[in-house]
């Protein structure tokens, strides 16, 4: 018998649902489920993206640079030159024959050491009081350099800062009191930045803008004078770092180095 009953036309094989039920609830339920699924996927994508990028904001930009060598930073000069001790300084070759301890007054106290003029007639004056440390590792960074310096039996380091009238150029000075000339000659080689052992730390606690030392070009000179080593390190505080910076720094480097080693002539005369 036909599915529609006697005398009735056959029903289509897939007819509408029975009239007694409604599909409205089913449709709403499916729509809500789909929406929840979409939200969950979006949340998962955001979480994964944030985990991989701690600062995804495109407007955050680069971090604001700190001024100068932040405490603990491993700053080293762009250029470095060293000079071994020679015959003029032979009376200072061994600390046993030159046993007088260093002091900030000896190194920086004379008028020639308090201010110095470079070849361009720019004047550089000593800033503050200087600093004396009996623990020489306080004045350097780098474990390799610290180990080497301890082997040279360094007993003192004296540090100070010079600057021009505008405070645009600053010069840091460090004088190390080592065991003998062999130690001094080796130490200036250890300081070579190319070796990666470490370098001198700029004297901390400088006022602005001297606290920006290292934000631009810096160049250092180290010399052995018998058992003593003098490091003079000059740099710009205004961030100057272009191709002419090294040429412009030659005059102040020479001047600051001259001021820092004035005390040596008195010491070598006394030791003769």
């Amino acid at each position: 018998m036909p599915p529609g009953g006697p005398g009735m036309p056959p029903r289509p094989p897939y007819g509408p649902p029975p009239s007694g039920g409604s599909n409205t609830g089913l449709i709403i339920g499916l729509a809500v489920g789909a929406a929840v699924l979409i939200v969950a996927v979006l949340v998962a994508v955001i979480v994964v993206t944030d985990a991989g990028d701690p600062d995804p904001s495109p407007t955050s930009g680069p971090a604001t640079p700190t001024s100068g060598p932040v405490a603990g930073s491993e700053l080293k000069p762009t250029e470095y030159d060293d000079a071994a001790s020679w015959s003029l300084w032979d009376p200072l070759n061994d600390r046993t024959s030159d046993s007088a301890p260093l002091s900030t007054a000896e190194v920086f106290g004379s008028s020639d050491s308090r201010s110095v003029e470079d070849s361009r007639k720019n004047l550089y004056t000593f800033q503050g009081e200087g600093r004396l440390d009996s623990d020489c590792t306080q004045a350097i960074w780098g474990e390799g350099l610290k180990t080497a310096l301890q082997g040279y039996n360094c007993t003192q380091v004296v540090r100070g800062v010079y600057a021009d009238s505008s405070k645009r150029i600053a010069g840091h000075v460090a004088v190390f009191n080592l065991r003998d000339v062999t130690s001094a000659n080796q130490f200036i080689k250890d300081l070579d930045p190319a070796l990666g052992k470490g370098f001198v730390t700029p004297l901390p606690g400088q006022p602005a803008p001297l606290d920006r030392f290292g934000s631009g070009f810096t160049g250092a000179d180290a010399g052995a004078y018998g058992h003593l080593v003098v490091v003079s390190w000059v740099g710009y505080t205004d961030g100057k770092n272009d191709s002419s910076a090294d040429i412009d720094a030659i005059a102040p480097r020479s001047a600051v180095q001259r001021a820092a080693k004035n005390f040596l002539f008195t010491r070598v005369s006394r030791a003769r």
Side-chain angles (χ1 to χ4, degrees):
M1 179 180 294
M8 299 295 292
R11 282 191 303 216
Y14 301 102
S19 59
S22 173
N23 63 356
T24 301
L26 177 61
I27 292 172
I28 293 174
L30 290 173
V32 171
V36 170
L37 180 60
I38 291 171
V39 170
V41 171
L42 289 174
V43 170
V45 170
I46 292 172
V47 169
V48 171
T49 301
D50 283 348
D53 182 1
D55 185 12
S57 172
T59 60
S60 61
T64 302
T66 53
S67 61
V70 183
S73 68
E74 298 181 349
L75 183 66
K76 55 187 177 182
T78 313
E79 288 187 354
Y80 176 75
D81 293 300
D82 61 79
S85 188
W86 57 292
S87 58
L88 174 64
W89 309 106
D90 284 353
L92 305 179
N93 277 352
D94 197 290
R95 192 165 55 202
T96 58
S97 59
D98 179 47
S99 58
L102 294 171
S103 68
T104 55
E106 179 189 11
V107 178
F108 303 120
S110 71
S111 58
D112 289 338
S113 296
R114 298 293 294 184
S115 63
V116 62
E117 192 175 70
D118 69 13
S119 58
R120 299 178 179 179
K121 305 302 181 183
N122 295 315
L123 188 67
Y124 301 87
T125 57
F126 188 70
Q127 309 290 306
E129 299 300 323
R131 172 171 165 173
L132 169 66
D133 286 293
S134 57
D135 179 4
C136 296
T137 61
Q138 293 294 311
I140 60 173
W141 63 265
E143 291 306 314
L145 191 60
K146 289 181 179 181
T147 299
L149 191 56
Q150 288 169 340
Y152 304 144
N153 193 18
C154 183
T155 56
Q156 293 178 298
V157 57
V158 175
R159 286 181 286 171
V161 178
Y162 291 85
D164 67 342
S165 59
S166 67
K167 306 295 192 296
R168 178 173 173 263
I169 299 177
H172 284 254
V173 171
V175 181
F176 294 86
N177 188 346
L178 308 182
R179 177 177 52 240
D180 53 32
V181 66
T182 302
S183 300
N185 283 336
Q186 185 57 50
F187 181 50
I188 61 176
K189 293 179 181 178
D190 294 330
L191 284 169
D192 189 339
L195 298 179
K197 291 184 178 181
F199 202 71
V200 176
T201 55
L203 186 60
Q206 302 305 309
L210 296 180
D211 60 340
R212 287 189 53 80
F213 179 84
S215 63
F217 171 90
T218 67
D221 299 283
Y225 305 90
H227 70 97
L228 300 166
V229 168
V230 177
V231 181
S232 56
W233 188 9
V234 170
Y236 292 94
T237 63
D238 61 359
K240 181 173 182 178
N241 212 10
D242 57 40
S243 59
S244 66
D246 54 344
I247 302 299
D248 294 341
I250 290 176
R253 280 172 69 177
S254 177
V256 170
Q257 185 183 42
R258 187 168 71 253
K261 68 180 186 181
N262 266 321
F263 80 98
L264 290 166
F265 296 99
T266 301
R267 187 167 276 244
V268 76
S269 297
R270 188 174 61 214
R272 287 188 184 279

